[in-house]
Amino acid sequence: MDVLHYIGLDVHKRSISYCIKTVAGQIVQEGKLQASRQELRRWAEELQRWSGAMEATLFSAWIYDTLKPYAERLVMGHPAKMRAVTAGKKKSDTIDARTIADLLRCDLLPECYVMPPQMRDLRRLLRYRSMVVQQSVRMQNKMAGLLMESGTVFHKEKLHGKKYFSALIETLEEVPESVKDLLRMSRSSMELFQSAQKQIAQRLLSEPALEQRIERLMSIPGVGPITALTWALEVGDPYRFSSIGDAVSYCGLTAAFRSSAGKQQRGPISKQRNAWLQTVLIEAAKLAPRWNPQLAALHAKQLELGHRNRATLQLARKLVAYLLAVDKSGQPFRIVTSPPETKDAMKTKTKKQPLLTQAA
């Protein structure tokens, strides 16, 4: 009879250390592999029945995809929760692989969500677009900085317009030629980055796997295509969040919380978050009141209570609630004027009816 083995994998850029253990914790085999697809497939084909685990790192995704067809179960451990790997005095690749195998066989490994390969590729495109947009903004700021350094008066709102920029370059006087060359180079770089980000956005919006989902998310007033794309590709499966609070925490919109001996302490916004979602939701929350009356009313109410940034955070949390509800229901966004009657309310109505008839 085949015995199920538990394998812990400590992955690195060039090598992978592994430890194979039985359910009782006995070491069957230990070793080190070269981090290549051919070597991993050759090694996995020699195994019979096994369940594996590894820590989520920069190198874990392609290793996970390569070994997944050969394993009965393959999981990734949450890096922030796997404290047992680095808690001991002695630490090595072999010890880490043993620890991961022990956590797996004892069912103590803190698993994390692994996005499907197709969605992961689309998410990579979206994150690349974010980098391209940042570079475009840097070029715009550089152009303004060069003009200010040379003492040139210019119209801030019209600077990045094509006609205005061309006319400005022709009218520049007492400005070194090197500055003009740098302005032209910065302008061409900005146009290149803007064209690239538009192409990436159009490609993602026309993706069949995302088209209907993005359309539903954009039915929320104040949610544009980039916000919808970021939510869909960063969240993946919305059902992995059991509550709105979990989704809000994942987006980095809640403060750190510590409680000990009956004392509770709130800290700043937690660093453990999805930075891509956090940035997009904050920016969307600043613009959403222009198109969403409900959010505009909430923003005005929060402004009366405190700081403007706290009001923005509250709007971002509300956007998360809207996005999660639409994504889970699979229906476009709509405003419910009156909440449906609960079962308790219906029971009380049915109980009162016979009492009224008796009194009559």
Side-chain angles (χ1 to χ4, degrees), residues 83 254-272:
R83 301 294 185 184
T254 55
F257 176 75
R258 294 182 181 276
S259 177
S260 180
K263 297 182 180 179
Q264 298 179 354
Q265 182 180 2
R266 286 284 184 180
I269 295 297
S270 176
K271 296 291 184 180
Q272 296 183 13

Side-chain angles (χ1 to χ4, degrees), residues 295-343:
L295 293 180
L298 178 61
H299 187 256
K301 182 179 179 180
Q302 292 297 321
L303 284 179
E304 296 176 357
L305 299 178
H307 197 269
R308 180 175 295 272
N309 290 342
R310 293 182 181 178
T312 303
L313 276 177
Q314 190 64 28
L315 289 189
R317 297 186 187 110
K318 197 66 175 179
L319 277 176
V320 172
Y322 288 166
L323 290 165
L324 186 64
V326 170
D327 214 8
K328 281 188 173 182
S329 65
Q331 300 294 328
F333 178 80
R334 61 185 181 90
I335 300 174
V336 180
T337 55
S338 58
E341 293 183 349
T342 60
K343 294 182 178 179

